[in-house]
Amino acid sequence: MKSITRLLRLWTIQRVFIRHGLDELVLSIPLFRPVAFIYHLLPWNWKRKNQDLGPRGERIRLSLEALGPIFIKFGQMLSTRRDLMPDDIASELTRLQDRVPPFSSIEARQLIEKAYGRPVTEVFQRFETDPLASASIAQVHAAQLWDGKEVVVKVLRPGIEKIIRQDIEVMYLLAELVQRYWKDARRLRPVEIVAEYEKTIFDELDLMREAANASQVRRNFESNPVLYVPEVYWNYTHTNVMVMERIYGIPVGDIQRLKDLGINFKRLGELGVEVFFTQVFRHNFFHADMHPGNIFVDATHPHEPQYMAVDFGIVGTLTPEDKRYLAENFYAFFNRDYKRVAELHVESGWVPANTRVDEFESAIRSVCEPIFNLPIKDISFGNFLLRLFQTARRFNMEVQPQLVLLQKTLLNIEGLGRQLYPDLDLWSTAKPFIERWMDEQVGVRALLNGVKVNLPKLLENLPYMPNLLHDVLKQSAQHQMKLQWESKQLETLQKKLQSTQLKTQFIIAGGSLLVGGALFNTSSYINQDSGLFLTTGSLALIGLGLILYGLLKR
C-alpha cells in the first residue's frame, strides 16, 4: 500500500511539472522519463505545447504551490539565494514567503471554534475574515481580545498532516534511489537527512511546541534589544491554533520602504550577523526558518533599528561537541588557520581518520582564500559551494544531518544580508563575536563562569559531603578486599593451570615415546635385531611411566 501511495505521488509531481510547461525539468530526471513519455502520448496533451503558459518563474512558483508545503518551503529557501538562480525566478519565488493561496476563512473559523469549544465571537471582540498572511503550513488572521489587546491568530491548514506524510514518503523513495544509484550518495547520507527533516516538519505541526519555542527565544533576548519576539497568550493556544501579540514592523524584504524611512542598512546587516551568532553560540537555540516572510524591522529608531521575528515552528540546537567544533572551525577560519580547520574536521569525525591533514589543509586554503575580506556582493557563493562540494567529495567528507538546520539558516541569513547591505564585510563583523565566545569558553573567564554555574549545586550538596566521603571510602575498602580475594583466586587458578600444563606435557611426551617405541618394536621384530628390540622396548616402558606419572600427579 505504501509503495502504491509513493508511485501515485510521483505521478502527481511529474504531472504538475509537465502541466506547467516544465518538461525539461521532468525529462532530466531518469526516474520520470518513462512516465513523461506516456503522458505526452495522451491526446488531451497534444495541444498543450502551443499554449502560452506564462513566464518560467511564475510556472515554477505555481508548480511548487500545487505540490504543497514541502515544495513551497524549498522554494522559500531558494528565494533568498539570488546568486544561485536568475532574478526572474528568485523574484517570483519570494511570493511563496507569505502569499501562498489561503484556505477558506469559513474553514478557519470552524477550526478555531472546534479548538475553543465555543463561537469565535465569544473568544474575540473582533476577528478579521481575510487573512493577514498565508504560508505553507498555516495562515494568520488579525483579531482583538475582549481586554482590547491586538493579536494575531495562527491556524493550521486543514488536512495538512496527511499531505506532508505523503510527501515525506516520496522523499524517502527518492533518497533511497539516490543512495542506491549515485556513487556520492553514501557521503551525502540522503536518507538520514530526510529523517531529520521529517522530525522537524512534524514538530512544526504542533502549535503548542511553536508557542513554547517563541517564549524561549523571547526570554533569551529580554535584555538584548537587537531582536523582539511577540508575546504568546497561552490561554488561547492549542495544538492547531495559536494566539500571539500583534506586531507592526516592516517586512525585511520591503527594501524600498526601509530606504524611504532612512534605515541604517549597514547597522541592520551587522545586527543580523549578531542575532545569528548569539542564537547559535550563546543560547544554543536558534530560529531555523529565517526567510524574509518571518522577519520584520522596527523602524522607530532608523539609525539603531531592531529586528522582529515570528514563526518559531522550526528551531535548532547543537550538541556541546558540535557547537565547540563549529565555533573552533569559525575561529580558525577567520584567522586563516587552515591547518587547524583540517585537524578539527578529522578530530570531529567529519572526514575519515586516515585523511592527510596537509593535503586537506591545502584543499581548504584553495577554496577559502579567494573570498576572504570580500563583501557579500563580490562573493559568488554558487561557485564557492561548488568548489566546496568537490573538495568534500575528494576527501570523503560526510554530510552531518544534525547540522542541516544550521546550514539552512546560514543560507537564509546570507541571502538576507545580500539584499539588505551587499557591502557588508561578513568576516570583520563575525570575527569579534567568535573571539569573544572562545575567550568565554577557555582560560580564566571560562573557569570563573564554570564556578559561577556550579557553585549553587556544590553548596547544596556540601552538608552531605561527609557522608558521601564515608560511603566512598567504605566502598573503596570493600572493593580492595574484593580485589585481594579475586587476586588470591587468580593465583590459585594460575597454579592449577601450570600444574595441568605440566601434567599434559608428561602425558604428551610419554605418549610420543610409547607410540615411537611400539613402531620401532614392530620394525625390530621384522628385522630380528634383538639389541634394537630391547632399546625400543625400554622407550615404550619409559613412555608408559611418564603417562602414569602425569595422570597421578597432583
Side-chain angles (χ1 to χ4, degrees), residues 69-70 73 136-138 154 156 160-161 164-165 168 194-214 234 237-242 285-286 288-289 311-317 405:
I70 289 183
K73 284 190 170 296
S136 54
I137 299 293
K154 185 172 184 177
L156 284 185
I160 190 66
E161 183 175 350
I164 289 178
R165 287 194 184 280
I168 289 292
V194 172
E196 189 78 12
Y197 184 68
E198 178 184 19
K199 175 180 176 297
T200 300
I201 197 165
F202 278 113
D203 285 348
E204 194 175 358
L205 297 182
D206 183 356
L207 295 187
M208 290 290 288
R209 181 186 292 270
E210 178 179 339
N213 293 340
W234 284 103
T237 297
H238 296 264
T239 56
N240 65 332
V241 179
M242 182 176 70
F285 195 83
F286 58 91
D289 198 16
D311 195 352
F312 292 86
I314 303 177
V315 297
T317 59
L405 275 182

Side-chain angles (χ1 to χ4, degrees), residues 393-427:
R393 180 170 54 190
R394 175 185 168 192
F395 289 93
N396 298 316
M397 187 166 69
E398 294 185 346
V399 171
Q400 302 299 310
Q402 75 277 17
L403 300 181
V404 168
L405 275 182
L406 182 66
Q407 294 164 1
K408 173 181 178 290
T409 306
L410 277 170
L411 289 177
N412 287 332
I413 292 294
E414 188 271 322
L416 283 175
R418 185 180 294 276
Q419 291 182 26
L420 293 173
Y421 189 65
D423 291 318
L424 178 68
D425 186 345
L426 179 64
W427 324 117

Side-chain angles (χ1 to χ4, degrees), residues 277 281 321-351 360 364 368 372 388 397 400 403 406 410 427 431 434-435 437-438:
F277 282 100
F281 294 110
E321 294 78 14
D322 282 334
K323 187 172 72 169
R324 183 174 66 83
Y325 278 119
L326 194 63
E328 290 189 21
N329 267 285
F330 274 121
Y331 183 75
F333 176 71
F334 288 144
N335 288 289
R336 302 193 185 189
D337 187 355
Y338 302 117
K339 180 180 180 181
R340 183 56 183 156
V341 173
E343 290 173 345
L344 286 167
H345 276 70
V346 174
E347 290 174 10
S348 63
W350 295 351
V351 295
F360 194 37
I364 294 173
C368 299
F372 237 103
L388 199 61
M397 187 166 69
Q400 302 299 310
L403 300 181
L406 182 66
L410 277 170
W427 324 117
K431 183 179 178 180
I434 290 295
E435 288 178 338
W437 187 87
M438 289 294 292

Side-chain angles (χ1 to χ4, degrees), residues 115 161 163 228 309 457 539:
E161 183 175 350
I163 297 172
Y228 182 82
K457 188 175 182 180
L539 289 174

Side-chain angles (χ1 to χ4, degrees), residues 221 226-227 270-280 283 290 307 413:
F221 282 92
V226 299
L227 179 67
E270 292 171 347
L271 288 177
V273 176
E274 181 179 342
V275 167
F276 170 75
F277 282 100
T278 299
Q279 289 186 93
V280 174
H283 302 153
M290 297 187 71
Y307 281 104
I413 292 294

